[in-house]
Amino acid sequence: MPFINNPTKIEKKILCFAIKEKNLLLKKDFSMLDFDDLLALKKIAADSDFFYEDTFSIASISLPPDFLTPETFTEISIREFFSLNDEEKNFLCARSRSILEWRKEYRFCSACGKALVESNNFSARECPVCKKIIFPRVEPCVIVLVRRGKEALLVRHSYRNLNTFACIAGFMEAGESAEHAVRREVFEETGIKIKNIQYKGSQGWPYPDQLMLAFTAEYESGELLLQKEEIAEAIWCIPEECENTPKPGSVAYKLIHNLF
């Protein structure tokens, strides 16, 4: 079903998301917004993108970075929201943010440069001239926990300002399998070789449009030689003894704490 821009009335029960960069607005009691809340926010931020998608029963609004959250709402990070809610609600939140980011970036046809319009048949945009259809993009990534006996390899990423030790992760390259990407990323970032790669699960991650494919693997050989532009620090440790690991709600948390 197509996206409906700037809806004014919804007849069915839906979930409503107001997204401000990497944060989410909720009511003061931390309950979900309703459709009237979105309409009220749209009046304040008139230029914000606002859509409804019947297929997944969601309505979402994208608020500008400098938007001052009214006192009648509270603001939390989407990561925190993920740690507090179930998989289905997290999926709908992730979809909302990913779609809003996609709509912001894909406004013109990459083939002929004309302004895109909403598709009448799909959750997509279409060029009115050359008829090219542009669907929301998904970028596959791999994330892997490498084990060596009771120890696991945890890393602190250079591009984050957090003192968090997580799993090795990276984008898949064109043409490669997920398993190939796992081996390549581990070797590129740490200099070690791995074996016994096993798929464990997946998660949509809206920063902005990743699909995280989760794996475990066993250490095979090599010494740690870090790719400094990617990895600031790497440690072999027993996961339960490392305090600074990702929060619940992330696929990294499930890998590290053996919850698959």
Side-chain angles (χ1 to χ4, degrees):
M1 294 290 289
F3 297 118
I4 299 174
N5 295 335
N6 298 315
T8 58
K9 187 177 181 181
I10 305 296
E11 300 292 345
K12 61 190 288 188
K13 185 177 180 179
I14 64 171
L15 279 179
C16 297
F17 298 94
I19 309 250
K20 177 182 170 184
E21 294 193 301
K22 296 181 180 181
N23 291 348
L24 183 72
L25 270 62
L26 299 172
K27 293 180 183 289
K28 271 294 187 182
D29 63 358
F30 286 87
S31 61
M32 297 293 294
L33 303 186
D34 55 40
F35 188 67
D36 287 339
D37 291 324
L38 294 193
L39 292 179
L41 291 168
K42 179 63 177 174
K43 285 184 178 180
I44 301 172
D47 293 333
S48 57
D49 189 18
F50 182 27
F51 78 88
Y52 165 65
E53 187 180 21
D54 184 70
T55 302
F56 293 105
S57 298
I58 55 174
S60 306
I61 187 171
S62 177
L63 300 170
D66 59 353
F67 181 80
L68 297 178
T69 300
E71 293 183 357
T72 50
F73 302 100
T74 191
E75 191 174 324
I76 69 169
S77 71
I78 292 175
R79 288 176 184 260
E80 183 180 355
F81 182 85
F82 282 179
S83 71
L84 298 173
N85 290 278
D86 60 31
E87 185 175 336
E88 182 64 18
K89 192 173 286 186
N90 289 346
F91 152 62
L92 295 172
C93 178
R95 180 168 179 80
S96 292
R97 186 178 193 275
S98 292
I99 294 298
L100 288 168
E101 290 296 312
W102 169 77
R103 287 163 63 90
K104 186 189 305 180
E105 292 188 18
Y106 288 83
R107 297 181 294 140
F108 298 94
C109 178
S110 59
C112 70
K114 298 297 182 181
L116 299 172
V117 298
E118 302 301 335
S119 168
N120 291 323
N121 302 307
F122 307 104
S123 293
R125 284 184 163 168
E126 183 177 347
C127 177
V129 177
C130 70
K131 304 304 178 182
K132 180 180 178 68
I133 298 178
I134 294 88
F135 289 91
R137 65 183 296 172
V138 176
E139 298 195 53
C141 301
V142 294
I143 181 168
V144 54
L145 183 74
V146 180
R147 292 193 175 274
R148 187 179 65 179
K150 293 183 178 180
E151 295 180 317
L153 179 61
L154 299 181
V155 300
R156 187 166 58 83
H157 294 278
S158 301
Y159 51 85
R160 293 178 183 167
N161 296 321
L162 301 174
N163 190 29
T164 300
F165 284 88
C167 304
I168 295 168
F171 289 96
M172 292 178 60
E173 297 288 349
E176 71 178 349
S177 68
E179 291 79 7
H180 185 280
V182 169
R183 286 191 294 270
R184 175 183 55 76
E185 284 289 341
V186 172
F187 185 75
E188 286 180 354
E189 295 187 359
T190 69
I192 67 171
K193 294 183 178 181
I194 56 174
K195 61 183 179 180
N196 193 24
I197 299 170
Q198 295 185 2
Y199 174 73
K200 292 296 181 179
S202 64
Q203 180 183 29
W205 198 241
Y207 296 102
D209 48 26
Q210 288 97 308
L211 172 63
M212 307 301 298
L213 305 174
F215 294 84
T216 59
E218 295 177 9
Y219 168 84
E220 183 176 38
S221 64
E223 298 294 329
L224 290 176
L225 181 62
L226 304 186
Q227 186 181 25
K228 287 298 185 179
E229 60 269 27
E230 293 286 339
I231 305 296
E233 186 179 359
I235 57 173
W236 289 104
C237 67
I238 297 174
E240 293 75 17
E241 296 178 357
C242 182
E243 296 181 358
N244 299 325
T245 57
K247 294 180 180 180
S250 67
V251 71
Y253 177 87
K254 294 177 71 174
L255 278 174
I256 291 169
H257 296 281
N258 197 27
L259 297 178
F260 280 103

